[in-house]
Amino acid sequence: MKELLELCFKFKFRELFYSPTENEFIKFFRYCFIGGIAFVVDYGVFAAVSFPLPDTSLSIAFATVMGFIFGLITNFALSKLVVFTQKAKTNSTAAEFLAYAVIGVVGCGLTVILMLIAVKFINKYIAKAVVQIIVLFYNYITRKILLYSGGKD
């Protein structure tokens, strides 16, 4: 944590975002940052698809899945550049993306379920933000353990 804070306060952005590191706090910070970018893509697609549709369970689920697809592609591409730089437990990029996507699909299912529950209590746009924060932890931990643990840079 000390190294992460030091890099932030000294504005050492190359080391913070791109230089190789084994520091899990820095990796999680990067994942959150990349996740933020992917969230903007996901949320933008969700809002664009959701806005003209009626507020039904089907339209909310559809908009959530559409946002997920675009967010997943963004997250995978950027995470490979700055977070999960080590070799995955798979033999090819296609297999790695497939495993990444399967973990993401479970996260998407979790997102849809939580969205359908949350919209009963709060606005769908606020619900989307809250649910994504919860699912962020699931995605990072699961990908780290199942796909990238033990891999070499």
Side-chain angles (χ1 to χ4, degrees):
M1 180 65 112
K2 181 181 176 184
E3 183 181 357
L4 172 65
L5 294 173
E6 183 178 306
L7 292 174
C8 289
F9 290 125
K10 291 185 178 180
F11 302 107
K12 294 185 174 184
F13 296 120
R14 180 166 174 70
E15 291 89 348
L16 183 62
F17 290 105
Y18 196 69
S19 294
T21 184
E22 293 301 315
N23 186 309
E24 289 302 321
F25 286 110
I26 293 173
K27 285 184 176 188
F28 185 69
F29 173 82
R30 289 175 181 177
Y31 188 79
C32 289
F33 186 80
I34 296 305
I37 294 169
F39 172 74
V40 168
V41 172
D42 181 334
Y43 193 91
V45 171
F46 168 80
V49 172
S50 175
F51 183 74
L53 299 176
D55 284 345
T56 65
S57 294
L58 182 60
S59 66
I60 289 170
F62 176 72
T64 299
V65 170
M66 293 305 295
F68 162 78
I69 291 168
F70 285 90
L72 175 73
I73 293 167
T74 302
N75 191 295
F76 177 76
L78 295 176
S79 287
K80 284 303 299 168
L81 290 174
V82 299
V83 181
F84 299 122
T85 56
Q86 69 270 36
K87 184 168 175 17
K89 293 179 180 179
T90 62
N91 294 329
S92 72
T93 302
E96 180 181 357
F97 179 76
L98 181 62
Y100 200 92
V102 168
I103 293 167
V105 166
V106 174
C108 182
L110 182 59
T111 300
V112 170
I113 291 167
L114 293 174
M115 281 294 293
L116 294 175
I117 294 167
V119 295
K120 294 179 183 196
F121 303 101
I122 56 178
N123 173 283
K124 65 183 176 183
Y125 301 106
I126 295 170
K128 177 71 173 163
V130 171
V131 167
Q132 284 306 119
I133 291 168
I134 294 167
V135 175
L136 165 93
F137 287 98
Y138 157 79
N139 283 330
Y140 178 77
I141 292 166
T142 306
R143 287 175 176 144
K144 176 74 177 157
I145 292 170
L146 296 180
L147 193 55
Y148 297 107
S149 67
K152 299 289 182 198
D153 286 338

